[in-house]
């Protein structure tokens, strides 16, 4: 599978382009966003997976479209 359109990822077993979850504009798997639609913010969760959120969670601040961890 050479490439998939935005909002889809290449699934190697089925060799098909499958949709990203939720608000992802781009993803590397069904549950891992790599870019968000313009109205959402990219956030890397504690599990290391990328998510698209409407606002940064507690302990994070918005920096150029990405939630970044506040320094303690």
């Amino acid at each position: 599978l050479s490439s998939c359109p935005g909002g889809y990822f290449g699934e190697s077993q089925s060799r098909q382009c499958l949709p990203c979850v939720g608000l992802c504009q781009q993803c590397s798997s069904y549950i891992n966003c790599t870019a968000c639609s313009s109205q959402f913010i990219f956030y890397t969760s504690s599990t290391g997976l990328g998510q698209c959120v409407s606002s940064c969670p507690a302990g994070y601040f918005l920096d150029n479209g990405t939630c970044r961890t506040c320094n303690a």
Side-chain angles (χ1 to χ4, degrees):
L1 205 59
S2 58
S3 66
C4 294
Y8 289 80
F9 70 98
E11 203 286 310
S12 58
Q13 278 190 316
S14 67
R15 300 189 52 77
Q16 294 179 347
C17 291
L18 300 177
C20 300
V21 68
L23 309 169
C24 299
Q25 184 177 27
Q26 296 176 1
C27 61
S28 60
S29 72
Y30 178 71
I31 59 170
N32 189 39
C33 295
T34 56
C36 302
S37 301
S38 61
Q39 66 269 32
F40 295 99
I41 304 163
F42 183 77
Y43 161 67
T44 302
S45 70
S46 59
T47 61
L49 296 175
Q51 299 176 355
C52 296
V53 295
S54 56
S55 62
C56 294
Y60 290 80
F61 68 97
L62 179 60
D63 178 30
N64 198 29
T66 300
C67 294
R68 305 247 186 243
T69 306
C70 296
N71 293 330

